[in-house]
Amino acid sequence: MALERCAWPGQDPLYIVYHDEEWGFPLHDDNRLFEMLVLESMQSGLSWITILRKREAFRLAFRQFDPGKVAKFGPKEIEKLLADSGIIRNRAKIEAAVANARATLAVQEKYGSLDSFLWRIVDGKPLLHRWSDYHEAPAKSVESELLAKECKQYGFRFIGPTVAYAFMQAVGMVNDHEVTCFRYKQCR
């Protein structure tokens, strides 16, 4: 018997693995959270499958998403990234990733971790939605607007309310799996 899952992964094996093993499961590791912030901001205007297909190249280019290392990137490293065909070569997005590494260090200093800074928006536990169809999920929410506003105050870039909501979905801050999806209960 096949597992019932959300409709959005379709038949793409990479999408299915991402959905089944990662999307929507509460994530609390700072480096992985930083990775998802960078990837979600890189995705802006593109399809998520494009980002997933380039994910390993992103991990290499951005030093396994170690914010301490990325925060030290200067003009030389940015130019090298702009020449890397394995990633999204958009100067504004690359510069935002470096700025977001620096902002991550700032919130780690103030809140103890990126995890603490982000998850306090939802009081440390996922917001549970009950969608029968993934199209019912909003593009943004009151919480994502608040998260985007607070991120901006710390110098994060390319994280508006819509990107913030997609990030919140990806890292399990909101559970937007369809209620019939086998992952819905696992991600609570």
Side-chain angles (χ1 to χ4, degrees):
M1 185 171 157
L3 291 173
E4 189 165 347
R5 66 176 50 89
C6 298
W8 63 261
Q11 300 301 310
D12 189 296
L14 188 58
Y15 247 169
I16 290 170
V17 168
Y18 175 68
H19 170 275
D20 290 1
E21 297 177 7
E22 192 173 348
W23 189 78
F25 194 80
L27 181 62
H28 295 283
D29 176 86
D30 273 19
N31 284 24
R32 295 279 321 285
L33 289 166
F34 173 64
E35 174 182 3
M36 293 310 295
L37 279 173
V38 171
L39 294 179
E40 289 291 351
S41 65
M42 289 286 177
Q43 185 267 331
S44 183
L46 303 169
S47 68
W48 185 246
I49 195 66
T50 298
I51 301 303
L52 284 180
R53 289 184 179 130
K54 293 177 174 284
R55 192 175 197 179
E56 289 308 314
F58 274 115
R59 285 178 172 156
L60 287 173
F62 287 93
R63 312 293 192 273
Q64 301 304 312
F65 292 101
D66 180 328
K69 292 179 180 176
V70 177
K72 295 176 184 172
F73 284 9
K76 180 180 165 187
E77 289 84 4
I78 289 171
E79 291 304 317
K80 185 176 179 185
L81 291 170
L82 286 167
D84 185 342
S85 63
I87 66 168
I88 305 302
R89 296 182 289 178
N90 176 302
R91 181 179 294 277
K93 290 179 179 182
I94 290 169
E95 289 175 349
V98 176
N100 292 348
R102 294 174 183 150
T104 294
L105 297 179
V107 298
Q108 285 174 328
E109 177 80 21
K110 181 167 183 179
Y111 293 91
S113 67
L114 180 60
D115 176 64
S116 296
F117 170 72
L118 296 167
W119 277 85
R120 68 191 172 76
I121 298 295
V122 294
D123 293 327
K125 58 189 184 301
L127 300 175
L128 298 177
H129 294 139
R130 297 193 52 79
W131 312 126
S132 56
D133 181 313
Y134 75 97
H135 290 102
E136 295 174 50
K140 62 184 178 178
S141 67
V142 170
E143 295 83 6
S144 76
E145 289 175 356
L146 178 60
L147 180 59
K149 181 180 175 185
E150 294 204 5
C151 282
K152 186 175 183 177
Q153 290 173 348
Y154 282 93
F156 286 93
R157 294 172 23 199
F158 263 89
I159 302 175
T162 302
V163 169
Y165 194 79
F167 168 80
M168 292 170 70
Q169 290 175 306
V171 303
M173 291 171 71
V174 295
N175 184 347
D176 276 350
H177 282 283
E178 295 171 2
V179 292
T180 55
C181 177
F182 79 99
R183 288 292 277 169
Y184 181 78
K185 287 182 182 171
Q186 293 176 356
C187 292
R188 290 200 303 193

